[in-house]
Amino acid sequence: MLHDPSVKYRPFPQVDLPDREWPSRTITAPPRWLSTDMRDGNQALIDPMNAEKKNRFFDLLVEIGVKEIEVGFPSAGATEFDFISGLVQSDRIPDDVLVQVLTQSRRDLIERSFESLRGARAAIVHLYNAVSPAWRRIVFDMSRDEVREIAVSGAKILRDEAARQPDTDWHFEYSPETFSTAELDFSVEVCAAVMEILRPTPERPLILNLPATVEAATPNIYADQIEWFCRNVPNRDSVVISLHTHNDRGTGVAASELGLLAGADRVEGCLFGNGERTGNVDLVTLALNMYTQGIDPGLDFSDIDRVIGTVEYCNQLPVHPRHPYAGDLVFTAFSGSHQDAIKKGFAAQESRNDEQWDVPYLPIDPADLGRNYEAVIRVNSQSGKGGVAWVLQQDKGLKLPKRLQADFSRHVQQLADTSSRELDAADIWQAFAKAYRLEGNQPIELVDWDERRSASGERIFTGTVDVAGESLRLSGRGNGLISSVLGALREAQGIQLDVQSYSEHAIGHGSDARAAAYVECTDPRGVTHWGVGIDEDIATASVRAVLSAANCAAGHDLRVP
């Protein structure tokens, strides 16, 4: 790289628009959407889509609610032409969907494009030619007048070809290609010349597409270009201003958003941003950005994973795991502080009688996109107690007390450090069951139990436990069930534990509900031992929790055979 890049590159000039209005505006309604996945997106593929994939993609676009679809470049070859003609002839285009084809401003290509649409109920023919200085000078070696004449000639052919097929409801679009790097006055001049030929009206407007063919400046400059154009194009009420941003600088979405603020009516782009070079604007991100601002974008991504699956199959390109809204990891937190904030956010969301979404780190509810909450928090060596507790809550329905979360997180941290990998729900449950003696052969295992009250009101616990393979009867008294179980352990086994806290909750609902109980105990040395019990019966869960604490204490050289 150059030490002084200014010797090779120059900054893009500002637009003289001191009274610009777009910075104070807000997007309040969605634009008209056009998908160019099947044209611009298809041209960008290493292996372009065959007919089966194009049909599958078309069906997806219709299903999610795209009403304008650029279905191809019919003059590019037989595959494109046959697919477009087949859509028309097989009557697969819904009445509320407009298909669009793209053509350069050449008679043979325009005629071929109209032929591909013969018999269509309605369609858009999209004409383009490049107008910027670099293209005029380097690519075409033409003057302004010659470039303008290319556009005018093409517009005349559009008009005449449409007249030859009067049964089709024709709509026209013109793009001054390379608009983003062209002189604004010349772009308006060329578009005005096209309008003179096609004679649009407010009832039959012409689509003027203003592409950032190469993204060469910051999004605010593109917005200035759009606002300047909207102010200066003649008969603004007879044109639809369309945006087609590319992503060369990585700001295609921002440029489109600011372009809408600047007065545009329509957006062309691709699902997940496919397109030549660095891609077209991402319609999914742009639409869901609006959704998070309370605007219905008119596109349905409620099953985002199925949309991803279809696009990945048709394009043979993966959606990045960090892709906004859609990636596998975009709703996932590994960091302990992030996990804690998200967990608290969900808890607050449940406790409020407020439909407004307000969860830290999550700008959108994953459920709105068909995602569940299980993958919101995942655990590795970077995770904290809140993340571990979240996984257990989502997987097993356990709502661990805060101090138990802290106690268990030590076990998980050790496992994560030694394994050097992400821990899934099964790993965490196995570690939890091991830490609190919930499975396998334990020093003390409950067989059965009963409880009654004495004449003085004391609770009397009697039960049978298995100790080292031998059956043992226990009996103890206390002012409650837990204290009577502890009394029985003290009398029979010499285990001295004092209760510091106890909590319980239901797991699930209805007849299949179970119960979880948590008891925090200390031994005579002040060491804390947690116990966990799970059972269909809450009282039995409490007994199991006390025995769990006793079994944990067994690892600290207390008197348990």
Side-chain angles (χ1 to χ4, degrees):
M1 295 178 67
L2 298 173
H3 177 69
D4 180 10
S6 67
V7 302
K8 188 173 184 178
Y9 304 100
R10 58 184 179 273
F12 198 89
Q14 297 283 328
V15 177
D16 184 15
L17 195 67
D19 59 341
R20 59 181 58 85
E21 297 179 1
W22 64 262
S24 61
R25 295 174 182 162
T26 302
I27 296 174
T28 59
R32 287 170 54 175
W33 301 104
L34 175 121
S35 161
T36 187
D37 287 276
M38 304 178 71
R39 198 276 304 169
D40 202 335
N42 192 46
Q43 288 178 314
L45 301 179
I46 298 172
D47 297 310
M49 289 183 278
N50 58 23
E52 183 269 331
K53 288 180 177 177
K54 293 199 80 169
N55 277 292
R56 184 164 171 177
F57 212 126
F58 180 81
D59 290 341
L60 172 69
L61 293 169
V62 170
E63 182 181 335
I64 65 176
V66 180
K67 301 302 182 185
E68 299 177 41
I69 303 172
E70 194 167 68
V71 289
F73 204 143
S75 60
T79 300
E80 291 284 282
F81 183 95
D82 292 345
F83 169 74
I84 296 165
S85 178
L87 277 180
V88 174
Q89 299 305 318
S90 61
D91 198 27
R92 293 191 59 238
I93 304 169
D95 290 344
D96 62 345
V97 171
L98 274 173
V99 294
Q100 174 173 303
V101 298
L102 181 71
T103 178
Q104 292 169 303
S105 188
R106 274 176 38 192
R107 175 176 293 278
D108 58 329
L109 304 183
I110 296 171
E111 291 174 348
R112 182 70 167 164
S113 299
F114 273 90
E115 184 61 29
S116 72
L117 293 167
R118 182 171 296 278
R121 176 193 55 80
I124 304 170
V125 181
H126 180 187
L127 177 76
Y128 76 96
N129 67 300
V131 301
S132 69
W135 268 254
R136 296 196 310 262
R137 184 180 70 254
I138 300 169
V139 181
F140 304 127
D141 190 23
M142 287 184 174
S143 67
R144 277 194 178 198
D145 289 345
E146 290 171 314
V147 167
R148 183 180 62 251
E149 182 57 31
I150 291 175
V152 169
S153 298
K156 291 176 179 178
I157 301 169
L158 286 186
R159 177 195 62 196
D160 296 343
E161 286 298 312
R164 292 189 177 95
Q165 296 187 46
D167 293 336
T168 297
D169 180 14
W170 294 106
H171 301 259
F172 300 126
E173 175 174 348
Y174 173 69
S175 288
E177 192 196 6
T178 64
F179 165 83
S180 58
T181 53
E183 308 94 333
L184 286 170
D185 63 328
F186 185 54
S187 293
V188 168
E189 179 184 328
V190 174
C191 289
V194 170
M195 293 171 67
E196 281 292 321
I197 303 301
L198 298 178
R199 299 289 181 180
T201 66
E203 294 73 30
R204 301 286 298 177
L206 168 67
I207 301 169
L208 292 178
N209 187 51
L210 307 178
T213 306
V214 178
E215 188 178 39
T218 50
N220 61 297
I221 291 180
Y222 184 66
D224 282 348
Q225 292 174 324
I226 300 301
E227 183 168 337
W228 194 99
F229 186 96
C230 288
R231 291 185 186 186
N232 290 278
V233 69
N235 303 318
R236 173 65 179 88
D237 61 350
S238 296
V239 295
V240 172
I241 301 299
S242 182
L243 308 175
H244 184 117
T245 58
H246 282 252
N247 204 41
D248 301 86
R249 292 171 57 93
T251 55
V253 168
S256 288
E257 289 178 326
L258 299 192
L260 290 172
L261 293 176
D265 311 295
R266 182 176 183 261
V267 171
E268 299 188 355
C270 293
L271 301 183
F272 308 115
N274 184 35
E276 289 189 283
R277 305 188 314 280
T278 55
N280 288 202
V281 67
D282 174 11
L283 295 186
V284 177
T285 298
L286 192 56
L288 292 177
N289 281 355
M290 294 180 189
Y291 182 83
T292 65
Q293 303 303 301
I295 300 168
D296 179 2
L299 300 179
D300 182 6
F301 296 115
S302 58
D303 189 354
I304 193 72
D305 288 330
R306 199 169 69 79
V307 175
I308 292 169
T310 299
V311 173
E312 288 185 331
Y313 168 76
C314 293
N315 288 346
Q316 294 298 292
L317 292 172
V319 172
H320 195 279
R322 297 293 182 189
H323 194 102
Y325 301 110
D328 284 345
L329 297 177
V330 295
F331 299 124
T332 300
F334 290 104
S335 162
S337 60
H338 290 200
Q339 292 173 343
D340 183 63
I342 291 171
K343 182 172 177 289
K344 289 175 179 175
F346 272 106
Q349 194 77 20
E350 291 177 4
S351 65
R352 290 197 311 264
N353 291 320
D354 184 359
E355 294 183 0
Q356 292 294 310
W357 180 255
D358 189 18
V359 175
Y361 296 111
L362 296 180
I364 192 172
D365 184 350
D368 289 356
L369 304 181
R371 296 269 177 91
N372 59 40
Y373 297 141
E374 292 180 6
V376 169
I377 291 175
R378 290 162 58 176
V379 175
N380 61 17
S381 61
Q382 304 299 305
S383 304
K385 61 182 184 300
V388 173
W390 169 270
V391 172
L392 281 174
Q393 182 174 343
Q394 296 300 306
D395 185 50
K396 298 295 183 181
L398 300 180
K399 302 175 182 178
L400 306 189
K402 286 187 177 180
R403 288 199 295 275
L404 177 55
Q405 293 177 26
D407 185 81
F408 180 50
S409 68
R410 296 183 293 104
H411 298 272
V412 175
Q413 186 67 47
Q414 182 180 13
L415 177 60
D417 287 338
T418 55
S419 63
S420 298
R421 63 175 175 83
E422 180 188 354
L423 304 181
D424 60 21
D427 294 323
I428 292 171
W429 171 249
Q430 185 177 18
F432 187 78
K434 179 180 179 182
Y436 302 107
R437 307 298 184 97
L438 302 182
E439 296 177 351
N441 296 323
Q442 301 301 329
I444 305 173
E445 294 187 6
L446 181 67
V447 178
D448 59 49
W449 71 280
D450 195 6
E451 182 194 27
R452 60 185 175 84
R453 287 186 180 274
S454 68
S456 61
E458 282 187 307
R459 306 278 284 273
I460 302 175
F461 168 84
T462 57
T464 302
V465 295
D466 188 295
V467 178
E470 297 184 6
S471 180
L472 178 69
R473 290 290 292 174
L474 302 179
S475 180
R477 296 170 177 262
N479 57 9
L481 176 59
I482 292 176
S483 61
S484 64
V485 177
L486 289 173
L489 290 171
R490 184 168 55 251
E491 292 182 17
Q493 297 293 304
I495 299 174
Q496 178 71 42
L497 292 174
D498 293 319
V499 175
Q500 302 301 315
S501 67
Y502 171 83
S503 61
E504 62 187 42
H505 66 80
I507 303 174
H509 304 279
S511 59
D512 294 330
R514 296 186 300 157
Y518 312 98
V519 61
E520 180 186 16
C521 300
T522 56
D523 64 30
R525 294 170 297 182
V527 177
T528 297
H529 306 282
W530 278 93
V532 179
I534 301 171
D535 198 88
E536 288 76 11
D537 174 65
I538 184 58
T540 301
S542 300
V543 174
R544 293 189 182 280
V546 174
L547 294 182
S548 167
N551 283 324
C552 290
H556 289 73
D557 298 325
L558 295 185
R559 281 191 53 202
V560 178

